Amino acid sequence: MLRSCGRVISLFSMKLSEELEKRGFIHQHTSESVADITDGESRTVYLGIDPSGDSAHVGHLVTWLLLRHLLAGGHKVIFLVGGGTGMIGDPKPDVERPLTPPEVVNERVEKLSMQAKRILGSEEITFVNNHDWLGQLNLIDFLRDTGKHFTVNELIKKDAIATRLESEIGLSYTEFAYPLLQAYDYLQLHEQHGCDLQIGGSDQWGNIVAGVDLVRRKTAHEAHAITVPLVIDKATGKKFGKSEGNAVWLDPTQTSPYQFYQFWLNVSDESVIDYLKLYTTLTLEEIATIEQEFPMNPGARAAQKTLALAVTTLVHGDDAARNAKAVSNILFGDITKIISISQAEIDMLIDSTPHKNVSGNELVVDLLVETNLATSKREAKTFIESGAVSINDHTIDSVEATIEGIAFMGSVAVLRRGKKQLSVLVKEM
C-alpha cells in the first residue's frame, strides 16, 4: 500500500471493497456502496468486544480478520475491550445477563486484550478500554447531552429489547441503557481519535447505527458502520458461537490447539470454501485453485486440511499448528508416522485425546473395556474376532492378546477400534 495526500493507493488490481465482498465479510453498511467507505481516504475504524468471558471464540474471529484486512488496506484500527459496558451487558433476547463483579471484568479485559494483540499481530493497532471514559460519566450530564438524542420509541424496536419486553423476564433499565453506552463509545472514539467507522456482527447493527446517529447529531461529521453476516455452517444451519452450545475458544486452555485443529478439519464440504475466504489470509486466487481441485477428490479433505493448518497457525502459532497436524495425521492418517513422533507431539497426543496408563502386560480385551472402546468383555472379544481392533498398525487377532511386545514409540501407542474410535496407551516408565 502507498499513500498520497492521505489517500490509500492499492498496488493490487482488486479494490479493498471488492475483496471484502468476495470474501463474504459484508452484510450491512451505512452508505450506498461499500466502496464509499473503504476505498477512499484512510479511515479510523473500531471494533468492540465485551468481556462476557475470558476468551474470544471463533464467532468473534471473523470480525478480527476483517480488522486485519482493513489495516492492510491502509486504515487505522482501534480495538476496544468493554471494561465499562461489560459490567452491564448487551441485552440478550431470552435471558437477563448476570452482573459480573468488577474484579472479574478487569481480569477478562486483560486476557482478551492480550489475546487480540497476539492474533491481530500488529503494533499499529490502538487498544482502548471504555471504562476509561464510562467510569467517569456524570449521570445528569449524560442524560442531558446523550440521552436526549434517543427516543424510547426507537429503542424498543431493537430485536433483543422488543423480545424481552414481551417476555415474562422483562427488561431492567440497566440493560435498556446499553445501546446509549455503546453509542457514547463511538462518540468518544470519534472525538479522541477521529474514528469514523465501526464494524461488528450483524446482530449488533442496531447498536452500531445508534452510534453513527449520535456522532452525526453531536458533531455533524460523517460516520459509518459495516457489519459482517453471522457465520453459518451450511450443512447444519447452525452458527458459530457459544450461544449455540458449540463454542470453540481461542484460549488454548479451553480449546486445545489439537481440538481447535480438529474443529476446522471437520467442517462440512459445503462451508469449507466460505471459511477459507473469511478465516485465512490466503489470496482469493489461491482459494479459487483449491475450490477447483477440491471436488476431484473430496475424500482427501485437502481444503479442510489447508483451512485447519492456516487458522491454527494464526491463533496458536507455527509450532502448535505443526504439532496438531502431526498428531492428527498419526491418529487419523498414516499411523506408521508414530515411529518419528517428537516429544512435543507426544505431549499434545496425551493432553488432547483419551488415554490410559499401562504397565505393559495388560490384556487387550480388558483395555478395550477400561478405555470405553467396548461396553463389556464379550463385546471386546467380538470386536477382536471381527478384526476391528489394532494397536498402532498391528491388528489384534487373538482374544488372549496382551500388549506385551507391542512397540511403544516414545512411551505411547494407539489402541483403535474401527477407524475413529481410539485411546492412547501411555507406558509407565
Side-chain angles (χ1 to χ4, degrees):
M1 294 291 169
L2 298 176
R3 296 181 185 274
S4 177
C5 300
R7 187 175 181 81
V8 178
I9 302 176
S10 176
L11 298 178
F12 306 99
S13 57
M14 186 180 298
K15 292 181 178 180
L16 178 58
S17 59
E18 185 179 357
E19 172 150 5
L20 295 179
E21 289 180 309
K22 286 188 174 183
R23 285 183 176 271
F25 280 110
I26 307 301
H27 182 62
Q28 301 146 304
H29 49 86
T30 53
S31 61
E32 290 188 7
S33 70
V34 180
D36 293 340
I37 300 175
T38 64
D39 297 348
E41 294 187 355
S42 175
R43 295 187 182 277
T44 299
V45 53
Y46 100 89
L47 168 68
I49 179 173
D50 275 348
S52 56
D54 56 9
S55 173
H57 52 76
V58 295
H60 296 117
L61 191 57
V62 66
T63 50
W64 295 20
L65 268 293
L66 175 54
L67 272 189
R68 286 178 64 121
H69 283 287
L70 290 167
L71 184 65
H75 299 287
K76 299 176 183 178
V77 166
I78 298 172
F79 191 95
L80 180 151
V81 182
T85 45
M87 292 188 182
I88 294 175
D90 194 10
K92 297 180 72 173
D94 55 350
V95 66
E96 183 174 3
R97 290 186 184 272
L99 294 178
T100 307
E103 61 273 15
V104 175
V105 172
N106 293 335
E107 290 175 4
R108 291 174 175 177
V109 166
E110 183 63 27
K111 289 180 179 179
L112 286 168
S113 297
M114 294 300 296
Q115 199 169 69
K117 287 175 183 177
R118 185 180 70 252
I119 293 172
L120 293 173
S122 174
E123 298 297 325
E124 300 177 29
I125 297 175
T126 301
F127 285 83
V128 298
N129 181 345
N130 64 9
H131 188 269
D132 291 346
W133 54 84
L134 294 181
Q136 306 302 316
L137 277 180
N138 178 287
L139 178 60
I140 298 300
D141 291 343
F142 178 71
L143 293 176
R144 283 175 56 87
D145 299 336
T146 300
K148 69 178 181 180
H149 294 287
F150 293 82
T151 67
V152 172
N153 307 61
E154 288 299 318
L155 289 172
I156 63 176
K157 292 179 183 178
K158 297 182 184 299
D159 290 341
I161 291 177
T163 302
R164 287 280 295 280
L165 289 175
E166 294 176 359
S167 72
E168 294 182 0
I169 302 171
L171 183 74
S172 69
Y173 184 78
T174 301
E175 289 183 293
F176 185 68
Y178 185 93
L180 280 69
L181 298 180
Q182 184 169 331
Y184 188 77
D185 285 345
Y186 200 165
L187 177 62
Q188 286 296 302
L189 293 177
H190 178 76
E191 293 178 342
Q192 296 177 22
H193 299 276
C195 182
D196 54 359
L197 172 61
Q198 182 181 177
I199 67 169
S202 59
D203 57 340
Q204 284 292 306
W205 177 250
N207 289 344
I208 295 174
V209 169
V212 170
D213 291 341
L214 183 62
V215 171
R216 291 175 176 176
R217 289 170 183 170
K218 293 280 289 185
T219 69
H221 295 163
E222 182 183 67
H224 285 287
I226 291 176
T227 65
V228 300
L230 293 177
V231 182
I232 302 295
D233 185 335
K234 293 178 179 177
T236 64
K238 292 184 177 181
K239 67 178 182 179
F240 283 169
K242 59 185 179 182
S243 61
E244 290 292 333
N246 62 342
V248 177
W249 303 99
L250 307 189
D251 185 332
T253 65
Q254 298 185 52
T255 299
S256 73
Y258 170 77
Q259 293 168 330
F260 190 82
Y261 181 91
Q262 286 296 312
F263 168 78
W264 297 103
L265 190 62
N266 289 307
V267 300
S268 64
D269 292 349
E270 295 91 334
S271 295
V272 64
I273 300 302
D274 291 343
Y275 298 163
L276 282 166
K277 293 175 181 177
L278 288 170
Y279 286 101
T280 78
T281 56
L282 293 172
T283 67
L284 288 171
E285 290 76 12
E286 290 171 322
I287 296 170
T289 299
I290 295 171
E291 186 174 14
Q292 267 188 327
E293 296 174 351
F294 179 63
M296 300 176 188
N297 186 10
R301 302 187 73 75
Q304 282 91 342
K305 290 176 181 178
T306 300
L307 174 69
L309 184 62
V311 187
T312 307
T313 299
L314 171 69
V315 174
H316 296 296
D318 291 332
D319 290 344
R322 282 196 298 268
N323 291 339
K325 177 182 178 181
V327 169
S328 182
N329 286 340
I330 289 169
L331 294 178
F332 301 109
D334 184 0
I335 189 63
T336 61
K337 291 183 178 179
I338 199 171
I339 294 173
S340 57
I341 192 170
S342 69
Q343 186 58 50
E345 292 162 1
I346 288 173
D347 293 341
M348 180 176 286
L349 188 65
I350 295 172
D351 290 342
S352 304
T353 58
H355 62 275
K356 177 173 178 54
N357 293 337
V358 295
S359 61
N361 59 1
E362 289 89 343
L363 284 167
V364 176
V365 166
D366 292 336
L367 288 176
L368 287 169
V369 177
E370 291 168 9
T371 58
N372 296 316
L373 295 179
T375 58
S376 66
K377 284 189 177 183
R378 176 179 293 181
E379 186 179 53
K381 290 177 180 179
T382 300
F383 288 145
I384 291 173
E385 290 169 346
S386 65
V389 178
S390 63
I391 299 180
N392 295 344
D393 60 344
H394 175 68
T395 300
I396 304 300
D397 55 13
S398 170
V399 296
E400 302 297 330
T402 70
I403 61 172
E404 187 175 3
I406 294 293
F408 279 72
M409 301 302 169
S411 79
V412 295
V414 179
L415 172 65
R416 191 186 307 273
R417 191 204 86 206
K419 291 183 177 181
K420 294 187 176 182
Q421 302 298 316
L422 58 87
S423 181
V424 174
L425 305 179
V426 183
K427 194 169 185 179
E428 297 174 339
M429 306 302 290

